[in-house]
Amino acid sequence: MTVKTMQTAEVQDLLEKVAGFNKEGGNERVKTIVHRLMHDVFQIIEDLDVTPDEFWQAVYYVNELGQNGEAALLAPGLGMDKYLDIRLDAEDEQAGLSGGTPRTIEGPLYVAGAPQSEAFARMDDGSDETAEIMILTGQVTDENGQPLANAVVDVWHADRKGAYSYFDQSQSEYNLRRRIVTDENGRYTARSIIPSGYGCPPEGSTQQLLNLLGRHGNRPAHIHFFISKPGFKHLTTQINLAGDAYTYDDFAFATRDELVVDANRIEDHAEAEAYGLNKPFTKVEFNIQLVRTDKSELQSRHERKRALEGEPA
Ligand code: BEZ
Ligand code: FE
């Protein structure tokens, strides 16, 4: 059955009332967005002849998504975080603020307030004794290669099971999360363990939809960064370790060629000793270029709900 009702006065009038256009008060921006949103939902129902059965399946899907706390997991899976990045890149270009290390998505697993130290941090709690040791190191510079001292490198990553502390309550507090302030040469170094890629909960709402799309819910092994310094654009980024099966097939679309980094096994004793180690390890080097700006609103991370953000340390 194909019926067309969208252009009728009845439906147009309904949409206006749904969005509260005929009422004083409320928020104009929200009204505008809800009007457009519901228009587009109605239009999809019309164009694709969505049946009541399909519609109510979608409604109860959204219910379950919320109950499972997976809305911020589905969003990157549907390319929304990537799309926001595409827009931010385009805005930077328009404002003449392109360049430096590329951004990529934050993801939903940041926790604010990780311990902070100067130049070096040990990120793992030592509980995974057989994990491969990772030395993560690099230099933060401006676009001309000038070292930036006192930049804050906020790093977080998953453990060997692809799980993140705080969300995985079996891990210790702030395990695999640290803030490192760069030294006078702009350098930072972390000792940690090689992470595994994240996978969506197999029985969760996100994976349920991905299954219907014929898609997997996996990310490659990766490491997240916020890098900030007054006078420079805040950078949200990640590196993906080369050689992972999902390096170029990330369900969250966060991979960028410039952010694929080799993980190099180091067998050399002297180099291990230089990092206080007595066995081979894997070295990951990531140098970061920040872009200057005097716009203060670009110097800190954008607002969104984050675990422990705004809470006393
Ligand atoms: C992550 O960074 O691990 C992540 C990103 C998007 C969705 C799920 C996880
Ligand atoms: Fe992650």
Side-chain angles (χ1 to χ4, degrees), residues 72-74 76-77 81 105-109 156 158 162 164 198 200 219 222 224 238 250-252:
L73 179 57
L74 181 64
D81 302 36
I105 73 164
E106 173 180 332
L109 301 168
W156 71 103
Y164 286 80
Y198 172 92
C200 290
R219 304 209 58 214
H222 63 277
H224 296 264
Q238 292 176 38
D250 177 4
F251 101 98

Side-chain angles (χ1 to χ4, degrees), residues 18-156:
V18 164
F21 281 166
N22 60 337
K23 295 275 190 270
E24 295 292 317
N27 178 300
E28 287 309 313
R29 175 79 173 152
V30 174
K31 289 184 185 201
T32 305
I33 292 173
V34 168
H35 183 260
R36 175 59 186 270
L37 178 69
M38 293 320 300
H39 171 276
D40 289 0
V41 170
F42 286 15
Q43 192 72 58
I44 290 168
I45 293 173
E46 174 166 290
D47 290 349
L48 303 182
D49 227 345
V50 172
T51 64
D53 177 30
E54 289 172 326
F55 175 76
W56 290 110
Q57 280 190 45
V59 168
Y60 286 101
Y61 176 80
V62 172
N63 254 357
E64 277 170 29
L65 184 71
Q67 275 162 13
N68 296 343
E70 287 199 20
L73 179 57
L74 181 64
L78 293 183
M80 293 194 220
D81 302 36
K82 175 67 182 177
Y83 180 59
L84 294 180
D85 275 356
I86 290 170
R87 284 181 54 80
L88 289 171
D89 284 353
E91 278 174 24
D92 278 351
E93 181 134 10
Q94 208 170 55
L97 287 171
S98 293
T101 301
R103 64 163 54 81
T104 194
I105 73 164
E106 173 180 332
L109 301 168
Y110 177 73
V111 179
Q116 182 167 304
S117 55
E118 309 287 322
F120 174 85
R122 175 144 183 200
M123 297 181 67
D124 66 301
D125 62 10
S127 60
D128 189 346
E129 287 167 14
T130 54
E132 174 73 2
I133 295 174
M134 171 173 78
I135 295 292
L136 170 66
T137 188
Q139 189 183 33
V140 181
T141 65
D142 69 8
E143 284 188 281
N144 301 318
Q146 287 304 308
L148 298 179
N150 296 319
V152 178
V153 182
D154 196 340
V155 192
W156 71 103

Side-chain angles (χ1 to χ4, degrees), residues 291-308:
V291 175
R292 251 173 232 283
T293 181
D294 51 16
K295 294 186 179 154
S296 58
E297 69 276 16
L298 298 182
Q299 295 179 22
S300 45
R301 55 187 181 240
H302 65 77
E303 291 207 10
R304 74 179 263 185
K305 196 167 174 194
R306 297 182 175 92
L308 304 186

Side-chain angles (χ1 to χ4, degrees), residues 261-310:
V261 170
D262 285 327
N264 294 309
R265 193 97 207 298
I266 308 288
E267 312 268 353
D268 182 61
H269 279 295
E271 197 168 348
E273 262 174 33
Y275 290 110
L277 304 174
N278 58 9
K279 58 179 178 184
F281 65 101
T282 293
K283 190 169 178 182
V284 176
E285 287 193 79
F286 182 46
N287 298 320
I288 298 151
Q289 272 191 2
L290 297 182
V291 175
R292 251 173 232 283
T293 181
D294 51 16
K295 294 186 179 154
S296 58
E297 69 276 16
L298 298 182
Q299 295 179 22
S300 45
R301 55 187 181 240
H302 65 77
E303 291 207 10
R304 74 179 263 185
K305 196 167 174 194
R306 297 182 175 92
L308 304 186
E309 184 112 283

